[in-house]
Amino acid sequence: MSFTNGVIWVVEQQGKRVAFYTLGCKVNQQETASLMKLFRKRGFRVVDFKKDADVYIINTCAVTHTAAQKCRQVIRRAIGRSPAAVVAVLGCYSQVAAEEVLSIPGVDLVVGTSGRSRLVELVSEAMEKKRSGEWPAKGINAVEALDGSLDFEQLPLPDDPRRTRAFLKIEDGCDQFCTYCTVPYARGGVRSLHPDLVQERLSELVCAGYREVVLTGVHTSAYGKDLGGGVNLPRLLRELVELPGNFRIRLSSVEPAEVTEELLELLATSPRLCRHLHIPLQSGDDEILCRMNRPYTAEEYRKLFHLAREMIPGIAITTDVLVGFPGEEERHFQNTFNLIATLPFRDLHVFKYSPRPGTPAAAMPEQVAPPVKDRRSSCLRRLADELAASFARRFVGETMTVLVERRSRKRQGWWEGLTDNYLRVFFPASQRKSGVRGEFVPVRILEVGPRDELQGEAVEN
Ligand code: SF4
């Protein structure tokens, strides 16, 4: 529990200010939200990262070279802002490069991707000892080894009453070892939250007023693999959709090889499940997919895409694409571009490959030059804009159910919300004055606004 044998740091830090900065994915964002809750419970006041604070906590990402660089910048910024404050760094980057993080003068504490539920205690101990001059100037490395004994770490659920959507982490870790990815090294193997606990936590979120729950994980479609007894994602979903309450469920990323007909069938038949799948493609070329250690071919992906659209009319399929992987020549990139151009994606997230230390791809020859990556990435981003607008246009004239999130900050006098198939919709606030936030409202779509935003009018139920 603490660095001092036998001493449990009982912490009530009334009024102490803690500031958070999060880099990276939704899992990290959700974990930060949970940690904020832990700190608040112990009397801390959460303040803006740009303000003076007693503690700065940086939740890091190691997915790209740029992410790691940004982490170092943010850490230095925090140290510069208030040298007397405790600076604690956690997350994927600190898990894989703890000593590198610790070598930044002014970092007090490095924690990885486990053991975060005791962060308040660790930070409190650092605060006390730093004040009395007992804390080592070089800081302390509290990163735990990610071995097979790790359990799923449960952090508190978020409780932000202004939000309608909550993220519920049901899985952590990954065993796939795609050759470009640091995640299996940073997060360890697959660990799943027991189905009973998922049900319990989802019910808590629904009772707290959340109307949409996004099931997240590092490799979400591997859910249950470690639990045995036939537990898997479709079986879990079948139980979750039967829970009482007014809510819907969205899935975060699912791997192509793990999207089964059983899963598609469930999405097709349960109105509780959002018609949205994020299925990372990464490349549309078989040679590159093989070098990436991705277990499917471009043709299998294409078939899956069409099957999903056939079984689930109106489904939004979004994806990730990685350009400039070592050895990606023009012909490989063209295969990716051509495949995507024929598949009506809702959206693409385009990433430029950057070597991550310790991964097999970092040692591969034929690294692609940065200007080539830039050109390929811009090319796909333009295609993404076209695909997004064309997907949105298909719904003009239809009435869609919108989960109203808020009064729009972007458009004065409008409500905004999200459909189950991941379209952002605006309708005039004059049509529904109040009490509509967090409600499912039918909206007739009238036109497409900038890029892929839809504009419409609320209609009676
Ligand atoms: S599936 Fe591949 S890309 Fe995704 S986390 Fe696992 S190793 Fe990384």
Side-chain angles (χ1 to χ4, degrees):
M1 187 61 77
S2 82
F3 298 110
T4 316
N5 280 346
V7 177
I8 304 283
W9 287 79
V10 180
V11 279
E12 272 300 330
Q13 300 283 4
Q14 288 306 331
K16 291 289 178 208
R17 298 153 304 168
V18 57
F20 289 83
Y21 196 102
T22 313
L23 292 113
C25 64
K26 292 227 163 72
V27 172
N28 263 14
Q29 284 162 26
Q30 192 227 330
E31 286 170 350
T32 300
S34 300
L35 291 172
M36 280 182 183
K37 193 168 169 185
L38 272 184
F39 274 81
R40 278 201 189 98
K41 266 192 176 163
R42 292 314 212 355
F44 281 85
R45 195 155 51 87
V46 176
V47 297
D48 192 292
F49 196 78
K50 293 196 195 89
K51 301 246 168 79
D52 271 352
D54 302 291
V55 182
Y56 290 96
I57 294 179
I58 299 117
N59 195 358
T60 60
C61 169
V63 165
T64 62
H65 173 67
T66 335
Q69 209 170 29
K70 178 94 193 280
C71 294
R72 291 192 293 271
Q73 277 168 10
V74 173
I75 295 167
R76 289 201 178 95
R77 214 183 299 153
I79 295 165
R81 197 161 290 143
S82 179
V86 165
V87 175
V89 185
L90 63 142
C92 294
Y93 175 52
S94 58
Q95 180 75 43
V96 293
E99 285 307 319
E100 194 174 304
V101 174
L102 216 50
S103 70
I104 303 174
V107 169
D108 295 301
L109 183 61
V110 184
V111 179
T113 54
S114 66
R116 289 150 310 170
S117 45
R118 63 191 183 119
L119 190 63
V120 183
E121 283 78 4
L122 296 180
V123 161
S124 299
E125 186 176 351
M127 284 169 79
E128 291 300 318
K129 291 193 170 170
K130 203 169 169 176
R131 215 173 293 140
S132 60
E134 291 170 72
W135 194 254
K138 196 187 172 294
I140 280 189
N141 179 352
V143 173
E144 294 175 347
L146 296 177
D147 54 29
S149 65
L150 272 186
D151 286 332
F152 184 93
E153 186 180 29
Q154 277 197 66
L155 293 171
L157 289 171
D159 60 352
D160 184 345
R162 293 161 305 170
R163 294 190 189 274
T164 54
R165 181 158 40 144
F167 293 89
L168 173 56
K169 192 169 136 196
I170 59 167
E171 182 275 340
D172 204 344
C174 177
D175 311 307
Q176 192 162 295
F177 290 93
C178 298
T179 54
Y180 52 83
C181 184
T182 48
V183 166
Y185 311 96
R187 292 265 174 182
V190 170
R191 283 101 69 199
S192 312
L193 181 63
H194 191 278
D196 293 348
L197 291 171
V198 179
Q199 289 196 34
E200 209 173 275
R201 301 199 117 203
L202 191 136
S203 300
E204 259 179 65
L205 289 169
V206 173
C207 285
Y210 290 100
R211 293 284 170 260
E212 180 175 308
V213 177
V214 187
L215 301 182
T216 63
V218 168
H219 185 159
T220 314
S221 46
Y223 176 82
K225 185 175 158 183
D226 55 316
L227 297 177
V231 177
N232 60 22
L233 189 59
R235 198 162 127 183
L236 174 75
L237 291 174
R238 208 165 268 128
E239 287 166 3
L240 296 182
V241 295
E242 295 303 328
L243 293 173
N246 186 18
F247 69 96
R248 69 187 183 192
I249 296 172
R250 192 181 296 279
L251 286 177
S252 64
S253 189
V254 282
E255 282 295 304
E258 290 157 352
V259 180
T260 56
E261 273 199 56
E262 188 188 4
L263 180 66
L264 296 178
E265 182 67 35
L266 263 170
L267 256 71
T269 51
S270 172
R272 277 265 167 86
L273 298 178
C274 291
R275 294 169 302 160
H276 175 202
L277 285 177
H278 183 82
I279 317 177
L281 168 67
Q282 306 305 8
S283 169
D285 181 89
D286 290 347
E287 234 176 275
I288 299 296
L289 283 170
C290 181
R291 290 167 71 109
M292 288 175 164
N293 194 31
R294 303 282 296 166
Y296 52 89
T297 63
E299 181 56 16
E300 281 163 353
Y301 191 99
R302 193 186 62 75
K303 280 193 180 142
L304 172 66
F305 192 102
H306 289 305
L307 180 67
R309 287 189 79 222
E310 218 172 88
M311 291 177 70
I312 312 158
I315 186 173
I317 302 179
T318 50
T319 197
D320 295 331
V321 193
L322 189 61
V323 294
F325 186 79
E328 186 190 68
E329 294 171 10
E330 210 46 42
R331 64 190 169 97
H332 302 122
F333 174 70
Q334 268 315 315
N335 284 340
T336 301
F337 185 91
N338 294 343
L339 176 70
I340 294 172
T342 58
L343 300 177
F345 282 104
R346 158 72 187 91
D347 207 359
L348 319 175
H349 301 162
V350 184
F351 300 92
K352 287 182 262 187
Y353 170 77
S354 62
R356 304 307 302 126
T359 59
M364 286 180 187
E366 305 166 289
Q367 297 286 328
V368 175
V372 176
K373 290 183 201 169
D374 290 345
R375 182 175 48 73
R376 290 178 186 165
S377 148
S378 323
C379 200
L380 281 180
R381 288 204 167 116
R382 278 195 299 277
L383 179 60
D385 286 346
E386 285 165 29
L387 290 169
S390 129
F391 182 82
R393 271 198 299 275
R394 288 178 34 210
F395 299 93
V396 173
E398 280 193 23
T399 296
M400 307 186 82
T401 301
V402 175
L403 172 57
V404 182
E405 291 174 351
R406 57 180 169 256
R407 286 276 198 147
S408 177
R409 284 188 285 269
K410 209 153 71 174
R411 296 189 193 190
Q412 290 286 314
W414 295 74
W415 287 108
E416 72 170 278
L418 208 57
T419 63
D420 73 323
N421 62 348
Y422 214 51
L423 287 163
R424 187 142 294 276
V425 176
F426 296 79
F427 64 93
S430 54
Q431 287 192 291
R432 297 283 169 94
K433 292 279 190 238
S434 61
V436 76
R437 199 192 65 82
E439 294 300 315
F440 291 102
V441 172
V443 177
R444 186 179 303 118
I445 307 301
L446 300 174
E447 57 182 302
V448 184
R451 198 179 187 242
D452 52 2
E453 291 174 356
L454 294 172
Q455 208 165 291
E457 59 184 9
V459 293
E460 290 310 314
N461 275 315

